[in-house]
């Protein structure tokens, strides 16, 4: 009971303090009305001091005070605090005799309180304090008349406090009405406007003087006037207004006649039977409507974006993990409709992949930042797609981190493209074996890891003939079939590759690599030699294989490659269709050839290839009509290298194009210093015709050196024609079109065909030295030379006999009708300076023989 009473007292005190605060009087400035009450109280009761005391939670504050030096005192010293629970005045005749106050500092101080009387101030339904009087001398108490005066003055003060509150509220309301942005207007019960604030002037465009006393029709759209009048008639008849007490949106009319939307709140004012009417608060909601329209447009636009996002957008409840939103892309991606998914979990919708998705949701919830992951998703129809999902945990209106927002995109095509790029980068597109770059990377890794292995380098035999005979489509089929045979001959953990157009390679791994290499190589030689059935023909090829063992045949990838290539070259030299292991002793010559090739490359780059020129003389005049440019290379260690050796090296290594360009450029440059009626002849390798750039190269060199194209002779062999008849004659015609002379060299020693002369008219035919050597002793040699001379004469071609070393040979050749001669009898190959000297001499030797 005691505890309940204590709680009740605390609640009452809190209500009293709230009422005091609502009066908004504490700590306000002095006001004459309140000061007059305290003066009246002191005079009426004959007291030295008087105050209007308001008791706060921890002090008493004097709103008005008479003959009191301080504005407030602590509550625990206040006499007035004891009067708060009373309804009649508290009277203390002598405080020094009252145990409640005997020790109070206000009593014990010099001139302290002896007599006190205080009447409670009841305002706002609570006791706010007292109107009190006190004196430094004791008194017997209050007479009935004095008590009535004190009580009456206290009631007057309380009413003044309440009136002050209402006055302040009215003052505030007036200011608010005056400055508010909402239009406030009042009408009487007949609908006549009686009040119009400043905002109403701005909203409707009417000044107050223009509308006060006018009917409300002036601001009502014409279409609504009749309904407005009927409503007022019902209200005048005693019915309740349908608009009173609620806020509605209506159209209104401005002074200029334009209509606009408003929000209207109406309340009654006045007495039911007396003066009164309706007060209205009007808010122009044009901007709000426009904003709502824009928001709706933005919302519709956002809904359209969400619906048409190319990626799946979803929202889940973070606690239940149930779907709350899924867009159209999500329906397509998952194979389920949004209606099926909303309210369900991944585990329920997708039993195979759902639990993993929920685990990723859990990871996102634990993470501080958004998470992105990739996964394989199983659709409702069982199809699999690769998706990338970004999850973000966002706050909601009910709690932080309420939702999981996710964006999932189908990256299956991208992953397939990446796989295809990887395949193209690492695998041969034709055979499916790994490509050269990947194979070399594997080779480097095995060497770095010091893993024993056998390296088989496989060169296809007769593959070029297959392409030429059956076409490249058949050649591709052959490569595919041979790739399958290679794959079948090795183990799954071996590394098989296609490393070139007609080259394959294998790494055989493990400690038994040498024995396996022998077995696999033999099997491959046999299998590759078997007929190859393609869709167009039965083709035949073969395999020549070089084998190197690591680490004994090379400690670095390059060393192993060189060893295997040397072994393969030796297998080729031994007749192809077989395999050879690398042998340091047997492959020494091949290594030396490789070193010579490297030196040749350097010599070409440095321009160290020299030219010698052998004159060609006309039998009719004995004059030198042209010179043949012959390449010469003097090695710094080995001395002069035979032309047939270094030219073949250039052809094998691909240096022939650089060598041919160097020789052609230097020959043309030297020829510009010869007599203008002397031509220069340059030999072309068949390989220079490959690629189709020879014609442009010759044109560029002629332009660079300034040599007249008619002074250039290009010599080709029958072997060139045999390789590709159509392509050869096309390129020769392009050269001929520039004015260049074309010679057929070494005629008669190859597979000569008279049909060549029908297809292309050569300017000159050169008879090989082998016929000239036996002209004196061989009737067949003389007959062949005679036949060639006759053919040349009939076709308008000059005939040059090479290798003339004796006068007897010269005489016979002249007698047979050769138009030109070349050989040591006239001059060995000499420098360009020596050629100029020869050209200055008379043609005595040949002229004398004639």
């Amino acid at each position: 009971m005691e505890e309940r009473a204590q709680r009740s007292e605390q609640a009452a005190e809190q209500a009293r303090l709230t009422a005091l605060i609502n009066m908004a009087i504490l700590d306000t400035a002095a006001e004459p009305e309140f000061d007059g009450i305290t003066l009246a109280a002191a005079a009426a009761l004959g007291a030295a001091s008087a105050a209007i005391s308001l008791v706060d939670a921890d002090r008493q504050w004097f709103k008005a005070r008479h003959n009191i030096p301080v504005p407030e005192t602590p509550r625990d010293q206040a006499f007035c605090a004891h009067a708060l629970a009373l309804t009649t005045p508290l009277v203390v005749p002598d405080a020094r005799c009252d145990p409640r106050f005997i020790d109070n500092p206000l009593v014990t101080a010099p001139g302290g309180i002896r007599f006190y009387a205080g009447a409670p101030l009841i305002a706002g339904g609570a006791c706010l304090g007292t109107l009190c009087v006190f004196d430094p001398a004791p008194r017997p108490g209050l007479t009935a008349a004095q008590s009535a005066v004190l009580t009456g003055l206290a009631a007057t003060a309380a009413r003044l406090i309440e009136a002050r509150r209402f006055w302040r509220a009215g003052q505030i309301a007036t200011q608010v009405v005056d400055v508010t942005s909402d239009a406030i207007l009042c009408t009487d019960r007949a609908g006549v406007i009686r009040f119009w604030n400043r905002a109403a002037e701005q909203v409707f465009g009417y000044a107050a003087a223009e509308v006060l006393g006018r009917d409300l029709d002036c601001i009502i759209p014409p279409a609504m006037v009749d309904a407005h009048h009927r409503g007022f008639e019902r209200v005048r008849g005693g019915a309740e207004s349908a608009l009173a007490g609620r806020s509605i949106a209506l159209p209104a009319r401005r002074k200029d006649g334009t209509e606009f939307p408003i929000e209207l709140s109406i309340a009654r004012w006045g007495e039911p039977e007396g003066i009164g009417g309706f007060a209205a608060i009007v808010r122009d909601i044009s901007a709000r409507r426009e904003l709502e329209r824009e928001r709706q447009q933005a919302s519709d636009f956002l809904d359209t974006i969400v619906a048409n996002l190319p990626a799946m957008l979803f929202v889940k409840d973070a606690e239940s993990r149930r779907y709350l939103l899924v867009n159209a892309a999500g329906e397509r991606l998952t194979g389920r409709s949004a209606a099926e998914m909303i309210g369900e979990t991944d585990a329920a919708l997708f039993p195979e992949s759902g639990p993993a998705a929920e685990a990723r949701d859990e990871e996102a919830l634990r993470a501080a930042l958004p998470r992105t992951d990739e996964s394989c998703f199983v659709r409702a129809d069982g199809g699999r797609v690769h998706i990338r999902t970004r999850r973000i945990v966002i706050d909601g209106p009910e709690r932080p981190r309420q939702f999981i927002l996710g964006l999932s995109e189908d990256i299956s095509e991208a992953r397939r493209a990446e796989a295809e790029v990887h395949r193209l980068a690492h695998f041969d597109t034709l055979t499916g074996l790994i490509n050269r770059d990947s194979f070399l990377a594997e080779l480097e890794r095995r060497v770095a890891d010091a893993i024993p292995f056998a390296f088989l380098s496989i060169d296809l035999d007769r593959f070029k003939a297959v392409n030429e005979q059956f076409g490249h489509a058949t050649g591709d089929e052959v490569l595919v079939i041979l790739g399958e045979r290679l794959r079948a001959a090795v183990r799954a953990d071996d590394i098989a590759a296609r490393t070139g157009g007609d080259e394959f390679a294998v790494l055989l791994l493990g400690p038994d690599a040498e024995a396996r290499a022998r077995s696999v190589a033999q099997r491959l030689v046999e299998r590759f030699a078997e007929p190859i059935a393609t869709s167009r023909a039965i083709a035949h090829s073969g395999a020549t294989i070089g084998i190197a063992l690591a680490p004994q045949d090379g400690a670095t990838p390059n060393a192993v490659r060189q060893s295997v290539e040397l072994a393969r070259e030796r297998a080729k030299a031994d007749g192809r269709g077989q395999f050879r292991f690398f042998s340091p002793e047997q492959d020494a010559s091949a290594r030396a050839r490789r070193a010579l090739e490297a030196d040749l490359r350097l010599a070409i780059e440095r321009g160290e290839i020299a030219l010698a020129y052998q004159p060609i003389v006309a039998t009719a005049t004995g004059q030198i009509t042209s010179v043949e440019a012959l390449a010469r290379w003097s090695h710094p260690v080995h001395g002069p290298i035979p032309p047939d050796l270094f030219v073949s090296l250039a052809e094998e290594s691909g240096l022939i194009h650089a060598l041919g360009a160097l020789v052609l450029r230097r020959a043309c440059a030297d020829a510009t210093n010869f007599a203008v009626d002397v031509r220069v002849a340059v030999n072309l390798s068949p390989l220079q015709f490959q690629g189709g750039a020879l014609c442009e190269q010759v044109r560029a060199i002629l332009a660079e050196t300034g040599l007249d194209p008619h002074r250039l002779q290009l010599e080709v062999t029958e072997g060139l024609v045999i390789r590709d008849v159509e392509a050869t004659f096309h390129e020769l015609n392009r050269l001929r079109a520039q004015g260049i002379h074309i010679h057929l060299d070494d005629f008669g020693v190859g597979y000569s065909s008279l049909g060549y002369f029908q297809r292309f008219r050569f300017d000159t035919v050169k008879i090989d030295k082998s016929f000239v050597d036996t002209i004196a002793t061989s009737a067949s040699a003389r007959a062949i030379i005679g036949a060639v001379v006759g053919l040349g004469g009939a076709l308008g071609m000059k005939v040059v006999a090479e290798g003339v070393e004796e006068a007897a040979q010269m005489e016979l050749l002249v007698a047979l009708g050769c138009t030109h001669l070349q050989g040591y009898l006239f001059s060995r190959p000499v420098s360009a300076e020596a050629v100029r000297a020869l050209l200055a001499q008379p043609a005595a030797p040949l002229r004398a023989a004639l």
Side-chain angles (χ1 to χ4, degrees), residues 40-61:
L45 275 70
S49 303
I52 294 176
S53 172
L54 302 175
V55 181
D56 199 353
D58 54 4
R59 62 172 177 157
Q60 70 170 346
W61 177 77

Side-chain angles (χ1 to χ4, degrees), residues 660-684:
L662 185 152
V663 170
L664 181 62
R665 182 175 290 104
R666 186 162 296 171
C668 289
D670 287 345
T672 59
N673 295 315
F674 301 157
V676 296
D677 58 345
V678 175
R679 297 184 173 92
V680 63
V682 179
N683 291 281
L684 295 179

Side-chain angles (χ1 to χ4, degrees), residues 59 110 139 148 183 200 227 241 323 337 368 381 401 409 430 469 485 505 544 552 607 622 650 849:
R59 62 172 177 157
R139 290 172 58 168
S241 170
Y323 281 97
S337 67
D381 59 7
R401 300 175 70 78
E409 48 186 332
L430 189 62
Q469 183 177 0
R485 293 180 183 180
T544 298
Q552 54 265 49

Side-chain angles (χ1 to χ4, degrees), residues 593-609 633 635 646 649-659 662:
R593 187 176 177 88
R594 287 289 181 86
L596 190 64
E597 176 188 318
D599 293 340
L600 176 60
R601 184 181 302 275
L602 189 60
I604 293 173
E605 291 174 356
R606 293 176 175 175
E608 295 174 353
I609 305 299
W633 178 32
H635 191 277
F646 74 76
L649 267 179
E651 290 179 332
E652 292 174 9
S653 61
L655 294 172
I656 191 61
H657 299 284
L659 177 61
L662 185 152

Side-chain angles (χ1 to χ4, degrees), residues 786-810:
V788 173
V789 169
L791 181 63
L795 296 177
M797 297 185 297
K798 300 179 182 66
V799 179
V800 178
E802 297 180 301
V804 181
E805 298 180 357
E806 300 173 357
Q809 293 173 335
M810 178 188 69

Side-chain angles (χ1 to χ4, degrees), residues 453-503:
F453 62 85
F455 182 175
L456 278 66
S457 179
I458 307 164
D459 190 37
L460 298 185
D461 300 333
R462 299 181 297 279
F463 182 70
K464 290 182 181 179
V466 171
N467 273 334
E468 292 172 357
Q469 183 177 0
F470 302 113
H472 289 285
T474 298
D476 288 347
E477 288 189 65
V478 168
L479 290 172
V480 171
I481 295 171
L482 293 181
E484 293 171 352
R485 293 180 183 180
L486 173 59
R487 191 180 285 110
V490 299
R491 295 193 308 219
D493 57 344
D494 294 327
I495 300 168
R498 181 186 175 203
T499 56
D502 57 354
E503 295 179 2

Side-chain angles (χ1 to χ4, degrees), residues 566-567 570 582-595:
L566 291 171
R570 185 158 51 82
F582 171 76
S583 169
E585 298 79 12
Q586 294 178 347
D587 293 320
S589 61
R591 194 178 296 276
R593 187 176 177 88
R594 287 289 181 86

Side-chain angles (χ1 to χ4, degrees), residues 419-436 438 476-477 479-480 483-484 487 497-500 504:
E420 180 63 14
V421 169
H422 180 274
R423 187 184 70 82
L424 293 174
H426 296 84
F427 291 85
D428 175 52
T429 57
L430 189 62
T431 64
L433 301 171
I434 65 171
N435 60 20
R436 175 184 175 82
S438 297
D476 288 347
E477 288 189 65
L479 290 172
V480 171
E484 293 171 352
R487 191 180 285 110
R498 181 186 175 203
T499 56
F504 294 90

